[in-house]
Every structure is written in structure tokens, then in C-alpha cells.
Amino acid sequence: MPKSRRDVVAIVRWILLLACWPLWLTVAYASPFYAPPPPQEDAPVFSGDAELGFTRLSGNTDSQTLIGKTLLTWLTGNFTYSLRGEVRNVTKDDETSAEQYLVAGRERYELDGPHYLFGFARWEKDRFAGYDQQLSAIGGYGRQILENDTHVFSLEAGPGYRHDRLREHGDYRLAVAYTALDYHWFFSDYADIQQEMSFEYTDQNTTSRSLTALTARLNSKLSLRLSHEIKHNSQPPDDTSERTDNTTSASLLYRW
């Protein structure tokens, strides 16, 4: 067996061992890095990912978890458009402990050379983060620092606007300075590691997001993924107990 194939088999076995994690999902790719990557020459005009995950425990522990995600991407000339949505709901002993919704639209315009312009709008609602809802609009400039068969590295930054609606303290309209990075390491023909980070700075707080993912491809449509996502708010509302949310999952990824 070729070395690269043996490496992938070892990775797949490792991920399958972690599949007993309570959140075994059929997962779509949902990224804190909002710019879609540059399209390949043979990329389809329309593509997408889909997720629907459900876990239920009964007996000594009575809980259920529902996660749904989708990402749609389409190409028009130099433009790449994407639309994504997320729903998360966790209940334990008939009490809700997590409830999150997100809808985001994004466009990327390719310039000459390794440059692009971007703009996106995002709506979020997180019942246990202290916000009734958040609406953001951000645009700016991005650059492909690396793009070859092994490494892909992008940086982007720009200004924006965010409207925070707090349940107990009214509305805040904030100017935003946004930066992000996206790195892919394709260490074999069948597997890659991805690291994405984004930061949104305002005079009220700084919101940082990180996604680290190991993906092993099974075929052209199915992959296994082990990922860890972090969202940190430097100054959350007073009625929020934690500044950082962590999500770890072993998942099955489907793309078309």
C-alpha cells in the first residue's frame, strides 16, 4: 500500500474512533472565514454542502441535539457568491441549553493577480450569548499569499458595521475593523488540514473565531472530518456567564 494511502487509512481510523462523540453529524462545511476560496478552473457553476444532525440520549440522561447547516456557492464571471445558514439547538431534561441561528451572504470579486475584493452580510441570533440578534455588514480587500498544490494561504481585511440588539440593554451601532486568515495544507492526495481565524474589533469588544479541521476524503462527495471551533467575545453582555464557546465534532461531510 502506498505511504500516502496508509496515512489516510490511519487518519480515517482515528476519526472513526472519535465518532462515538455524542455529536456525530452529517456536516456541511461552515466557516468563520467568510470569503469563499478562489474557484478552480474546472469548478461547477453551482455547488453546495448540506448537514442535518440529530442525537438523542434517554435513560439516566435525557437530552437531544439538532444541528443543521447548508452552504451554497455559485459563479458568475469574476464573481463568486455564497449563501450559508446554520441552526443549533440542544435540550437537556426538557430545558434548552443552546439555541443558535445564522444566515450569511457573501460575494468575492477576482482582480488581476492574487487580489480580490469582498463583501458580506451576516445575521446571528444566539439565545444564550446575551444578544437578541446581531446584524453585520463588512467589505474590503483580500490577497492570496500562497496558492499551489500543497499550500493555500489567504489574508483579508476591511471596515464594516454591526448592529447589536441586547435583550436587557437596548441597541448598539458599532463600527467594525475586520481581519481574517485562511490556511490549507494538502499533505496527501486524500487529506488536508485547515486553519481559519477571523477578528472583528469594535470599541465595545473584540470577537474572534477559529476553526481547525482535519479532513480525509473517502470519494468525490464524502469525507470524514475532525474539527474544533472557538468563538470568543472579549466583553460579552453582563448576563452571559462565559466569554468563550467551544465546539468539537467528528463528522461526515457531503458535497455536491
Side-chain angles (χ1 to χ4, degrees):
M1 181 182 295
K3 183 178 180 181
S4 60
R5 177 69 72 173
R6 290 199 302 269
D7 292 341
V8 173
V9 170
I11 292 169
V12 170
R13 287 174 178 171
W14 180 41
I15 294 177
L16 287 173
L17 286 174
L18 292 172
C20 60
W21 193 271
L23 295 180
W24 173 251
L25 307 173
T26 304
V27 178
Y29 175 73
S31 163
F33 187 75
Y34 299 107
Q40 302 295 322
E41 292 183 359
D42 59 348
V45 174
F46 179 80
S47 60
D49 305 334
E51 167 196 345
L52 179 62
F54 180 77
T55 301
R56 179 174 177 82
L57 300 176
S58 60
N60 293 324
T61 300
D62 186 8
S63 68
Q64 62 183 28
T65 300
L66 173 66
I67 297 181
K69 298 180 182 179
T70 186
L71 173 66
L72 304 176
T73 303
W74 61 98
L75 310 177
T76 304
N78 288 337
F79 284 95
T80 302
Y81 298 97
S82 62
L83 178 66
R84 69 190 185 101
E86 299 181 16
V87 176
R88 301 183 185 188
N89 183 278
V90 179
T91 61
K92 184 175 182 179
D93 297 327
D94 296 325
E95 293 187 2
T96 301
S97 58
E99 185 177 345
Q100 302 171 338
Y101 307 93
L102 183 147
V103 177
R106 172 71 190 232
E107 69 177 6
R108 168 178 173 146
Y109 180 76
E110 301 295 332
L111 301 172
D112 292 336
H115 313 280
Y116 64 89
L117 301 177
F118 71 90
F120 71 83
R122 182 189 65 234
W123 175 82
E124 291 181 277
K125 185 178 180 67
D126 189 339
R127 177 178 172 185
F128 294 93
Y131 297 97
D132 182 55
Q133 64 179 16
Q134 292 180 293
L135 179 63
S136 305
I138 295 174
Y141 164 80
R143 180 179 174 86
Q144 296 291 142
I145 306 299
L146 290 173
E147 188 177 357
N148 55 49
D149 294 338
T150 305
H151 303 283
V152 177
F153 180 44
S154 304
L155 292 173
E156 67 179 31
Y161 164 85
R162 196 175 77 205
H163 180 190
D164 293 349
R165 177 174 295 173
L166 281 68
R167 286 189 294 271
E168 303 294 336
H169 306 286
D171 293 4
Y172 291 89
R173 293 170 174 81
L174 305 170
V176 177
Y178 163 86
T179 65
L181 66 85
D182 176 35
Y183 173 68
H184 278 75
W185 175 28
F186 299 94
F187 59 88
S188 83
D189 293 337
Y190 310 99
D192 66 84
I193 292 176
Q194 182 177 8
Q195 176 62 57
E196 304 179 352
M197 298 183 70
S198 68
F199 302 88
E200 297 175 18
Y201 309 90
T202 73
D203 60 2
Q204 297 287 329
N205 53 34
T206 299
T207 302
S208 58
R209 306 166 195 255
S210 172
L211 173 68
T212 305
L214 170 65
T215 304
R217 285 170 290 283
L218 302 178
N219 55 42
S220 61
K221 295 185 181 297
L222 287 175
S223 301
L224 291 174
R225 170 171 287 179
L226 176 68
S227 66
H228 182 67
E229 187 172 351
I230 304 171
K231 181 179 179 182
H232 176 77
N233 187 339
S234 64
Q235 192 63 44
D238 295 337
D239 57 350
T240 303
S241 60
E242 299 291 340
R243 296 185 178 186
T244 304
D245 292 324
N246 292 272
T247 303
T248 302
S249 62
S251 59
L252 182 63
L253 176 68
Y254 177 77
R255 294 176 175 172
W256 71 86

